[in-house]
Each structure stands twice: as structure tokens, then as C-alpha cells.
């Protein structure tokens, strides 16, 4: 049963510390998405990769957030320095896009981040 | 601006009844729609999708209806069970856009 995995599942850190979240997309998928979910804002898209290339990171605060895909099996989302307002659940999702055909996005279990 | 919204933030139904969750979207260029279910502490789970060239699609106990004329999407759950209790999100993607836009969610509560 293929699924997206994320680590860590929970992270508590202090303001100013660096946070790195990791995601392993489903094998064979060529798109990766990072979302942030809060009670106030719901699900917000932070970044989108296709074939490991970043195509859209307009939803991400550039001064402190960065997203990368070192290889096809790993996506990372880094916050440096972290702030209390970054507290949220961060989801990674992967999917398969062929030409103009969009497949479903499959979500991981999320990383619950708390910044004190 | 473009948005995806839901009519009812909370829906309470009796076990065994049918549930209908509604969603309105504003982007007339949307061509792909998905319903997700999110249980507490978990990520959104795919339920069913539909493309704009269809107006109905059925899965196991679930049916999605798409009315492009009024830009309305609904999820019907037959014989609702306690395990169906969750927050349900609709999401849409427009032609040429890269990512899904999610609605704010509807909480479904199934009373035993």
C-alpha cells in the first residue's frame, strides 16, 4: 500500500531555531506539494515541485522558508529562523501529472509543528 | 477572486441516513474536482474525483455530482456510518493552474 511518509510527525521547538521537515513521495509520482494547515487559514499551498523542479513557491515566506528536492525520493521544507506564527500542521502531498492530465494528490500524515 | 467554499460548516446526521455535503466554486475554468476526508490527526484522504466533462461519478457508498451551470459540487454518502465522521473538503483545479484550491471544509457528525 503505497503512501506518502513524513518525518517528524511532531516537532516542538523554540523561536529562532531551524526546523526541517521531510517527505517521501509515493514512488513514481512526479509532483510534490507542501501545504500548511491552520484553524484560521485552512489548507494553504506553500510550494509545488514537478520532476523535482520548483514550479510555484509563491505561497511561501521567502525570507525564512525554503523547499528542496535533493532527489526523487525526498522533499524537504526548512524554516530558519522559526517563529510562533509558523505553528501549524505541514502536509506533503504527491501526485502524477502526465501532460495536461492531473491525477489525484495523495497526502502524508503531516508534521505538527509547535514553535514556542 | 477565485475561491472554493462550502455552504454548511457542520452537518449532523443519524447513522444509516444519507448525507449530502455541498460545495460552491467560483472559477468557471475549473476542470477537476476532488473530495477529501480528513479525520482528526490525519492528513486529507482522497475519496472521489470528477472531471468537468462529467456530471456524476459513483464510488463505494459515495457519489459526486457536478453542476457546472451553477458551479456547484456535492458529495453524497449513502448509509452514513460513525466512521464517516470527519471534515470533508472539496478542492478544485482550473485549466492551466498547477495546484488545487481547497474549500474551508464541512464537519460531518454521525449520531449513533
Amino acid at each position: 500500500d503505497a503512501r506518502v511518509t513524513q518525518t517528524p510527525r511532531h516537532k516542538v521547538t523554540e523561536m529562532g531555531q531551524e526546523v526541517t521537515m521531510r517527505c517521501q513521495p509515493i514512488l513514481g509520482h512526479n509532483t510534490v506539494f507542501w501545504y500548511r494547515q491552520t484553524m484560521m487559514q485552512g489548507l494553504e499551498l506553500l510550494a509545488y515541485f514537478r520532476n523535482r523542479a520548483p514550479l510555484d513557491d509563491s505561497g511561501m515566506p521567502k525570507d525564512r522558508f525554503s523547499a528542496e528536492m535533493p532527489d526523487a525520493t525526498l522533499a524537504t521544507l526548512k524554516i530558519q529562523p522559526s517563529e510562533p506564527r509558523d505553528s501549524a500542521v505541514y502536509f506533503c502531498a504527491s501526485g502524477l501529472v502526465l501532460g495536461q492530465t492531473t491525477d489525484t494528490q495523495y497526502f502524508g500524515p503531516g508534521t505538527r509543528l509547535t514553535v514556542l | 477572486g477565485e475561491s472554493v467554499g462550502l455552504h454548511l460548516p457542520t452537518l449532523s446526521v443519524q447513522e444509516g441516513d444519507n448525507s449530502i455535503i455541498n460545495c460552491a466554486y467560483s472559477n468557471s475554468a475549473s476542470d477537476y474536482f476532488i473530495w477529501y476526508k480528513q479525520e482528526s490527526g490525519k492528513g486529507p484522504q482522497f475519496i472521489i474525483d470528477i472531471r468537468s466533462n462529467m456530471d456524476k461519478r459513483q464510488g463505494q457508498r459515495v457519489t459526486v455530482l457536478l453542476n457546472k451551470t451553477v458551479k456547484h459540487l456535492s458529495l453524497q454518502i449513502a448509509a452514513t456510518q460513525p466512521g464517516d465522521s470527519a471534515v470533508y473538503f472539496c478542492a478544485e483545479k482550473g485549466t492551466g493552474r498547477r495546484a488545487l484550491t481547497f474549500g474551508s471544509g464541512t464537519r460531518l457528525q454521525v449520531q449513533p
Side-chain angles (χ1 to χ4, degrees), chain B residues 7 9 13 16 20 30-32 40 51-52 62 66 68-69 71-72 78 85-86 88 93-94 101 103 108-109:
Chain B
H7 295 161
V13 300
I20 300 176
S30 297
D31 61 357
Y32 181 60
S40 180
R51 300 193 185 277
S52 58
V62 295
L66 175 62
K68 294 181 288 293
T69 302
K71 295 197 280 288
H72 184 268
S85 294
Y88 290 80
K93 179 181 177 297
T101 299
L108 176 65
Q109 295 177 334

Side-chain angles (χ1 to χ4, degrees), chain A residues 3 6 9-10 37 43 89-91 107-112, chain B residues 37-45 83 85-87 89:
Chain A
R3 59 184 67 189
Q6 290 185 247
R9 292 295 312 278
H10 302 274
Q37 187 176 41
L43 270 165
V89 181
Y90 290 81
F91 289 105
F107 282 75
T111 294
R112 180 174 294 277
Chain B
K37 171 187 180 183
Q38 187 174 22
E39 296 173 280
S40 180
K42 297 183 179 180
Q45 176 188 2
S85 294
V87 176
F89 293 94

Side-chain angles (χ1 to χ4, degrees), chain A residues 37 45 55 91 102 104-105, chain B residues 32 36 38 43 46 51 98-99:
Chain A
Q37 187 176 41
L45 177 68
L55 293 190
F91 289 105
T102 300
T104 306
Q105 293 178 27
Chain B
Y32 181 60
Y36 284 95
Q38 187 174 22
F46 169 82
R51 300 193 185 277
R98 294 168 175 147

Side-chain angles (χ1 to χ4, degrees), chain A residues 88-107:
Chain A
V89 181
Y90 290 81
F91 289 105
C92 174
S94 72
L96 181 64
V97 174
L98 299 174
Q100 293 298 315
T101 301
T102 300
D103 195 7
T104 306
Q105 293 178 27
Y106 295 89
F107 282 75

Side-chain angles (χ1 to χ4, degrees), chain B residues 34-84:
Chain B
I34 306 178
W35 280 102
Y36 284 95
K37 171 187 180 183
Q38 187 174 22
E39 296 173 280
S40 180
K42 297 183 179 180
Q45 176 188 2
F46 169 82
I47 301 174
I48 192 168
D49 60 359
I50 188 168
R51 300 193 185 277
S52 58
N53 61 352
M54 303 173 67
D55 53 20
K56 180 179 180 179
R57 192 168 187 213
Q58 288 184 294
Q60 187 177 17
R61 283 201 308 117
V62 295
T63 300
V64 55
L65 299 177
L66 175 62
N67 185 331
K68 294 181 288 293
T69 302
V70 295
K71 295 197 280 288
H72 184 268
L73 188 71
S74 68
L75 176 70
Q76 300 179 0
I77 305 173
T80 313
Q81 303 169 359
D84 295 326

Side-chain angles (χ1 to χ4, degrees), chain A residues 14-31:
Chain A
E14 293 186 344
M15 181 174 62
Q17 296 297 306
E18 177 180 301
V19 175
T20 299
M21 291 169 273
R22 294 176 173 81
C23 167
Q24 182 173 9
I26 293 173
L27 187 65
H29 282 184
N30 62 353
T31 59

